[in-house]
Amino acid sequence: MDTPLPTPDLIARFSAIVGPGHALTDPADQAPYLTEWRGRWHGRTPVVLRPGSTAEVAAICRLATETGTPIVPQSGNTGLVGGQTPDESGREVLVSLARLNRIREVDASGNTLTAEAGVILDTVRTAAESVDRLFPLSLASEGSCRIGGNISSNAGGTAVLAYGNTRDLVLGLEVVLPTGEILPGLRKLKKDNAGYDLKHLFIGTEGTLGIITAAVLKLFPRPRARAIAFVAVPSPDHAVALLNRARAAAGSDLVAFEILCRGGLEFALTHLPGARDPLSTVSPWYVLTEIVGADDERARSAMETVLGDGLEAGEASDAVLAESLEQGRALWGLRHGMSEVQIHEGGSIKHDVSLPVGSVPAFLAEATPAVEALVPGCRPVPFGHLGDGNIHFNISQPVGADKAAFLARWDEVNELVHGIVARMNGSFAAEHGVGRLKRAILPTARAPEEMALMRRLKATLDPAGILSPGRVL
């Protein structure tokens, strides 16, 4: 959207809504909001607005629509596709939701928690635990990502296998439309078929249709026991066989089933402080899996059955079962560090893809040699949520290569990998979203009728086109 730079008078009008102490114009104060954490996106903004209430968010939106000023909402600034970062034009006003950080209610008997959009995910999880409940969304960035961003991106994480994506964890939403109306949808009902379920217009739409300001979240009984195992497997095919065995043995108590390659584990062992190889066996592939239960005996017995039968069937070649909570955390630390450690190995070209679970081995068998042929010496580092078919197919630069030259091939490598995904009826955007990074790819993956409907929805809810312009569509 080609709009003029906001005038000093307009900036003053925006600033007056939140108060001078919460309207940041100094570049040093703005800096933490303007760069995506991996350093791929760097933006400019005339002002960072930090509203402290839903009413202030609504006033910002009304003024933005009235003046045609583009605004970009930002939650924890942990997104990976550039949606939360203002562009380089200096025209987009950034709206940080960090001050909307109150937990409004914890209802243990109703198994709900109502939180504002700026509450950090780990704070939500801790609040649930304080009343002996579980909020199951778990991400590597849970200490800094915020619930509004989790909802607007429909975050996945490591517990999707048992509890679903964020979409499945939301009962109600409070949303400010681009035109400034407030949708008061903070309902705690498990069943409500009174008209359209409007919250789904805003979950996973990446802040392009409205700004989420609060949510009613589902809570669950807190597991009494956990059994966590790190398993060496000969191949992804064997990993899928072990997954099916674990599902049969544990049912809904199987909460996580992650896969990682040896190369990724070696990165973690090299760069994560205190990291240790859990096994003496060197294997090309590993699985990290977790089973919960009502007591230690039930969870451990189920895991021991899975591991024993899997070893006997040749689906696993070695395994270690955590003997303490501390050991379990250390195993999960290896998995959660997968993205972080790749930074130390130079440039990394990312893919966040999903496939039918049974197609994951075929995808890895085709995509790995394909990228190695395209970029000789590159180091594929696939890992992720095998239980729900979501693989982070990341590719680290060849040792000693020029980082900029390698990253310049991003689109070329993406086209190759996404082409394989498409042929296998998968998705190029599993849990990170579209943002700016993948906007050009979306029309190749959705029918023209679907794209037209998305644009009609955008035009209806955001007639002035001021909210997150150029993201997703």
Side-chain angles (χ1 to χ4, degrees):
M1 184 167 59
D2 188 14
T3 57
L5 290 169
T7 64
D9 177 66
L10 181 55
I11 294 173
R13 293 175 66 188
F14 276 115
S15 300
I17 294 171
V18 299
H22 299 294
L24 310 180
T25 56
D26 185 278
D29 295 334
Q30 292 182 351
Y33 302 89
L34 302 184
T35 299
E36 178 253 351
W37 75 272
R38 293 184 309 194
R40 180 173 174 83
W41 305 97
H42 305 274
R44 295 171 54 227
T45 184
V47 63
V48 174
L49 301 176
R50 302 178 72 247
S53 68
T54 300
E56 289 183 358
V57 175
I60 291 168
C61 288
R62 283 194 296 271
L63 180 56
T65 292
E66 173 194 333
T67 59
T69 305
I71 59 175
V72 178
Q74 184 181 102
S75 189
N77 196 20
T78 60
L80 299 175
V81 291
Q84 80 281 10
T85 309
D87 66 19
E88 297 74 25
S89 70
R91 294 177 171 84
E92 297 181 342
V93 169
L94 191 146
V95 181
S96 168
L97 301 174
R99 289 182 62 222
L100 297 180
N101 58 5
R102 293 186 305 125
I103 293 180
R104 297 183 183 176
E105 181 190 47
V106 181
D107 180 359
S109 62
N111 286 308
T112 68
L113 183 152
T114 304
E116 293 182 341
V119 178
I120 292 172
L121 173 56
D122 189 57
T123 302
V124 172
R125 289 170 55 84
T126 300
E129 289 173 4
S130 72
V131 294
D132 199 30
R133 297 294 185 271
L134 170 72
F135 182 64
L137 181 63
S138 181
L139 313 170
S141 60
E142 61 194 37
S144 55
C145 65
R146 299 175 187 267
I147 201 67
N150 299 146
I151 296 170
S152 66
S153 62
N154 189 27
T158 56
V160 170
L161 179 60
Y163 298 101
N165 290 293
T166 301
R167 182 183 303 279
D168 303 298
L169 305 176
V170 175
L171 289 173
L173 288 180
E174 177 185 86
V175 182
V176 177
L177 296 182
T179 46
E181 296 100 325
I182 299 172
L183 296 185
L186 292 177
R187 301 178 183 90
K188 299 193 290 183
L189 303 175
K190 301 294 192 300
K191 293 181 177 179
D192 183 6
N193 285 331
Y196 301 149
D197 195 346
L198 297 177
K199 67 178 179 286
H200 290 293
L201 284 173
F202 308 100
I203 301 173
T205 50
E206 304 182 50
T208 60
L209 300 181
I211 299 179
I212 295 167
T213 53
V216 179
L217 306 171
K218 294 180 185 178
L219 302 183
F220 296 81
R222 191 162 63 91
R224 298 301 181 216
R226 299 176 183 274
I228 301 169
F230 195 86
V231 189
V233 294
S235 72
D237 281 304
H238 291 89
V240 171
L242 189 66
L243 167 63
N244 291 330
R245 182 180 300 279
R247 279 175 165 158
S252 61
D253 289 341
L254 178 66
V255 298
F257 202 93
E258 303 286 301
I259 190 170
L260 56 156
C261 66
R262 179 67 196 183
L265 177 60
E266 289 180 351
F267 285 1
L269 296 175
T270 300
H271 301 294
L272 286 180
R276 297 176 56 188
D277 197 330
L279 300 171
S280 58
T281 301
V282 175
S283 176
W285 295 94
Y286 301 90
V287 160
L288 176 62
T289 184
E290 179 173 323
I291 293 173
V292 299
D295 53 62
D296 288 327
E297 182 179 354
R298 173 177 169 176
R300 190 174 184 88
S301 175
M303 183 66 81
E304 288 175 343
T305 297
V306 172
L307 298 180
D309 292 349
L311 287 165
E312 184 176 349
E315 296 159 359
S317 56
D318 197 3
V320 61
L321 179 56
E323 297 293 338
S324 66
L325 181 61
E326 182 180 358
Q327 288 182 5
R329 287 173 176 165
L331 294 176
W332 271 112
L334 295 172
R335 165 60 186 87
H336 284 313
M338 284 288 102
S339 293
E340 174 190 343
V341 296
Q342 290 172 65
I343 295 173
H344 302 288
E345 294 290 330
S348 179
I349 297 176
K350 313 287 188 180
H351 305 86
D352 168 45
V353 303
S354 64
L355 302 109
V357 172
S359 298
V360 169
F363 164 73
L364 293 170
E366 182 175 347
T368 300
V371 298
E372 289 173 336
L374 182 65
V375 186
C378 73
R379 296 169 291 167
V381 188
F383 66 97
H385 320 298
L386 182 61
D388 56 57
N390 175 197
I391 299 298
H392 302 297
F393 191 75
N394 297 347
I395 303 157
S396 287
Q397 70 178 58
V399 175
D402 179 78
K403 180 178 178 179
F406 174 72
L407 293 178
R409 305 190 69 177
W410 191 294
D411 292 342
E412 181 185 6
V413 175
N414 276 183
E415 183 178 0
L416 172 65
V417 173
H418 292 153
I420 298 171
V421 171
R423 282 194 284 102
M424 295 184 177
N425 296 314
S427 172
F428 70 89
E431 63 178 356
H432 294 163
V434 175
R436 286 192 284 165
L437 179 65
K438 303 175 184 179
R439 181 183 60 192
I441 306 173
L442 184 61
T444 70
R446 290 289 181 262
E449 296 82 1
E450 292 175 297
M451 293 300 301
L453 181 55
M454 291 182 202
R455 292 190 176 98
R456 288 203 298 274
L457 285 170
K458 173 67 172 174
T460 299
L461 295 176
D462 185 13
I466 56 95
L467 186 57
S468 297
R471 279 76 172 172
V472 183
L473 299 175

